[in-house]
Amino acid sequence: MTDSSSDAPKTPAAPNASGGQAIWGGRFSDKPAELMQAINVSIGFDRRLAAQDLAGSRAHAAMLQKTGIITSADAEAILAGLETIGQEIAAGSFPFREEFEDIHMNVEARLRELIGPAAGRLHTARSRNDQIALDFRMWVREACDRTAAQIRALQKALLAKAEVHAATVMPGFTHLQPAQPVTFGHHLMAYVEMFGRDASRFADARARMNESPLGAAALAGSPFPIDRSMTARALGFDRPAANSLDAVADRDFALEALAAATICAVHLSRLAEEIVIWMTPQFGFITLSDAFTTGSSIMPQKKNPDAAELVRAKVGRLLGSFTQLAVVMKGLPLTYSKDMQEDKVPTFEAFDALDLSLAAMAGMVADMQPVVDTMAKAAGAGYSTATDLADWLVRELDLPFRDAHHITGAAVKRAEQLGCDLPGLPIDELQALDPRITGSVYQVLTPAASVASRTSHGGTAPDQVRAQIKRWKEVLA
Ligand code: ARG
């Protein structure tokens, strides 16, 4: 601690100590500057936007040249310098420096080192506000495309497994209680549908975000004769954003992508949870190879589904990221505020987590093997074909469904007393409930017959499942 008594010598090096501010200045002169730098600097994370920043600068420089705002000689020097910077970044030799704060100023500072004062002309008719809006939007757009491709890969893994097991019976559950037999293929195809909607949510978000903010400049537009359609086209946008204030102020494109990502992570967590349940010895429905399991340091018998558990947990990060950005944006007055620099870390983290989760899940789906006999045995347990019995009574004896439901309930109760399953209930026991019941009823009481009978569109009958697999194969081809 320094002493701030009036006897203390004035330090000439302290820049803020002038004008009789010795007490305050003597103690604090340098620290606020350092803290300012510490809280302000973003190069540690926005260096991930280097490729987008360079692409934006190339398009901007070409437009400045074409519109005559800068000379061809300057434009060529700028483009050559940007090319060198791109190579340096690819080679890992680019000097990312904290003193230049963010990716934009790091690139500009390096450009000046490489080509001299012409570098200063690149920022004509541009602001870091439209620059970051552009870079980040392009990053999120690419993340949407990458994620959609990963979802497709996961869907293909699910499809391949479903095709092999279109007729493999397993219990279908409601309330995690055995409900009606279904096929394993049908169950996997349910996830193909969910992930299909996830992919389409990313496509929708992408279409909405595909407007270029470049040329909005700081917030109000530019007095230079810029061509915003030219840069929009060059960067793969459908059109320039129509309102310069909106273009620099909103991050709804990232929120929308994070919402889609969170929903996808929710789906992943449900499949992950099922893998965890199916892997338990109590269920024993599937096995996972050593590739996707880990052992215990103390219990030698253990084979734990850690990858599935981690996928199940990652959704927390995703929803957390969405929440973080929503809270950052909430209540911000138009237009740009530095708060918005906090948009990047949650978004990067969310997509990193989703990327890993999708890849791990695709790997697990390809890896997992159903234990067909165990599934089949379980499919018949818990009186799972009771609905089939009730339906038979409706069809064959013309009973109202409510009456059939009542008789079937009595049959289940009797089976419970006798310690058998429904197919094992003797015919005289059934006829005691209704004398018109015949031996043909047993044909509908096996799990295989049960699933085969559910031929309604989208039902679990193997032919229906195969029809959906065929449709999806065409969609994903
Ligand atoms: N690093 C900033 C961000 O990520 C770039 C924009 C800065 N603009 C400004 N006017 N300070 O948001």
Side-chain angles (χ1 to χ4, degrees), residues 42 45-46 101-102 104 127-129 132 251 336-338 340-341 343-344:
S42 60
F45 51 86
D46 67 18
E101 195 182 317
D102 60 20
H104 321 301
S127 154
R128 278 192 293 154
N129 294 351
I132 190 61
R251 296 292 183 266
Y336 179 85
S337 294
K338 198 61 177 263
M340 287 154 68
Q341 179 163 289
D343 57 3
K344 284 170 267 313

